[in-house]
């Protein structure tokens, strides 16, 4: 659950174009290549039984030295790739260029559908980075040396029709080079392995967290260089719970994109997941448009 400001993650909730996005991100939606639920949870998105490793279904590794998809046990047939080639000439060289790239990749509320509104505050403060400490409590620090810029935007679906308020965050981070985005994804996997229970602060916590990581071409991951997803439960003093929590992250070149969703009373895990998938897929397409080689 890395990235600045990403916490962490009946009817009426709609994600525009979700059917198309869900097909592209099915590997993040809790299904294996044959369509069956994977070890992250049941068909309704609920967490699966606890594992001795702390709840994650796949280990993270360094960006280099990865096995080929056919070399990983249970990896399934490689997925057709929709990932274009990254153009190194478009790598931001400084903070100003990185912030300009954030503007091109970030999404606003319309990316999630007509029910979603901006929250207040709407954007995170620049120069801040969340750190999960040794006690599994989230703290705030300055940007790591390898990060040029990061920004989180906050949204919500207002309460109504017998359900509570759904909260969404969307984070984009620009690294100094593509290897940095790979390490960020690996760190996200390490965090859920180390801390399946996490304290967010202000009486809020995440529990029963599960994580899954897929390299490009594994199972149905044809949309991102590395796909990472996390699911579990959110509990808050004001919001009650447990409620569904979903978080997903993708990367392209030096950029990582992450969306987190926190459910509420009367909101299903599938509804939260649909919003997360919609936001992640939109940011990935915009990153491709900004950083891919032409032609």
């Amino acid at each position: 659950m890395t990235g600045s400001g990403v916490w962490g993650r009946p009817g009426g909730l709609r994600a525009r174009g979700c059917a198309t996005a869900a097909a592209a991100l099915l590997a993040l939606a809790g299904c294996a290549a044959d369509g069956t639920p994977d070890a992250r949870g049941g068909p309704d998105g609920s967490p699966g039984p606890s594992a001795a490793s702390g709840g994650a279904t796949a280990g993270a590794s360094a960006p280099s030295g990865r096995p080929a998809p056919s070399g990983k046990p249970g990896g399934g047939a490689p997925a057709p790739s929709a990932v274009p080639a990254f153009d190194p000439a478009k790598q931001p060289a400084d903070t100003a260029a990185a912030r300009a790239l954030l503007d091109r990749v970030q999404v606003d509320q319309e990316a999630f559908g007509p029910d979603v509104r901006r929250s207040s505050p709407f954007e995170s403060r620049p120069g801040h980075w969340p750190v999960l400490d040794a006690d599994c409590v989230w703290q705030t620090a300055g940007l790591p040396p390898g990060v040029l810029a990061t920004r989180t935007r906050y949204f919500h679906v207002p309460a109504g029709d017998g359900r509570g308020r759904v909260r969404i965050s969307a984070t984009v981070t620009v690294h100094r080079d593509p290897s940095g985005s790979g390490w960020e994804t690996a760190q996200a996997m390490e965090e859920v392995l180390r801390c399946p229970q996490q304290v967010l602060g202000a009486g809020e916590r995440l529990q029963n967290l599960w994580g899954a990581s897929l390299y490009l071409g594994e199972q149905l991951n044809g949309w991102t260089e590395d796909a990472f997803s996390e699911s579990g439960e959110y509990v808050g003093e004001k919001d009650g719970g447990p409620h569904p929590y979903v978080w997903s992250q993708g990367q392209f070149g030096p950029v990582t994109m992450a969306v987190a969703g926190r459910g509420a009373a009367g909101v299903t895990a599938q509804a939260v997941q649909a919003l997360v998938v919609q936001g992640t897929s939109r940011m990935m397409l915009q990153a491709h448009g900004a950083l891919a080689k032409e032609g």
Side-chain angles (χ1 to χ4, degrees), residues 160-211:
D161 298 327
R163 54 168 169 74
R165 182 173 184 254
V166 177
R167 286 183 277 180
I168 309 163
S169 72
T171 297
V172 179
T173 300
V174 181
H175 294 262
R176 293 187 183 276
D177 57 63
S179 66
S181 61
W183 280 111
E184 183 189 336
T185 304
Q187 182 182 358
M189 193 69 205
E190 183 275 334
E191 287 166 350
V192 72
L193 281 166
R194 177 168 62 90
C195 296
Q197 324 295 327
Q198 300 175 5
V199 177
L200 305 177
E204 299 178 324
R205 70 180 187 275
L206 302 176
Q207 62 187 30
N208 300 322
L209 293 175
W210 281 78

Side-chain angles (χ1 to χ4, degrees), residues 1 25 27 69 86 91 110 112 117 141 148-149 193 201 211 228 269 273 279:
M1 196 180 68
L25 303 185
F86 164 63
Q91 165 71 49
E110 73 275 0
F112 297 96
R117 305 288 183 268
L148 287 172
L193 281 166
F228 176 75
Q273 195 167 53

Side-chain angles (χ1 to χ4, degrees), residues 3 6 17 22 24 27 35 53 60 64 69 80 89 96 106 115 133 142 151-152 156 161 197 215 228-229 249 262 293:
V6 176
S53 63
S64 60
Q106 261 286 12
D115 296 325
D133 68 19
R151 180 189 299 151
T152 297
H156 67 278
D161 298 327
Q197 324 295 327
Y215 304 126
F228 176 75
S229 63
Q249 178 171 308
R262 279 192 274 186
K293 288 183 177 180

Side-chain angles (χ1 to χ4, degrees), residues 3-4 102 124 126-129 143 147-152 171-174:
S4 177
L102 292 179
S124 60
H128 289 76
W129 187 260
L143 291 182
V147 174
L148 287 172
T150 187
R151 180 189 299 151
T152 297
T171 297
V172 179
T173 300
V174 181

Side-chain angles (χ1 to χ4, degrees), residues 199-292:
V199 177
L200 305 177
E204 299 178 324
R205 70 180 187 275
L206 302 176
Q207 62 187 30
N208 300 322
L209 293 175
W210 281 78
S213 180
L214 295 173
Y215 304 126
L216 178 62
E218 279 190 299
Q219 294 189 12
L220 295 183
N221 177 25
W223 73 282
T224 178
E225 295 166 5
D226 276 338
F228 176 75
S229 63
E230 180 178 278
S231 62
E233 298 170 328
Y234 160 72
V235 178
E237 289 182 356
K238 294 181 179 180
D239 300 319
H243 303 304
Y245 167 78
V246 180
W247 182 73
S248 75
Q249 178 171 308
Q251 67 182 88
F252 180 64
V255 177
T256 59
M257 295 132 281
V259 177
R262 279 192 274 186
V267 178
T268 66
Q270 294 98 320
V272 178
Q273 195 167 53
L275 292 165
V276 169
V277 166
Q278 182 70 11
T280 309
S281 61
R282 176 71 68 87
M283 290 196 293
M284 180 61 70
L285 289 174
Q286 293 176 174
H288 289 173
L291 294 170

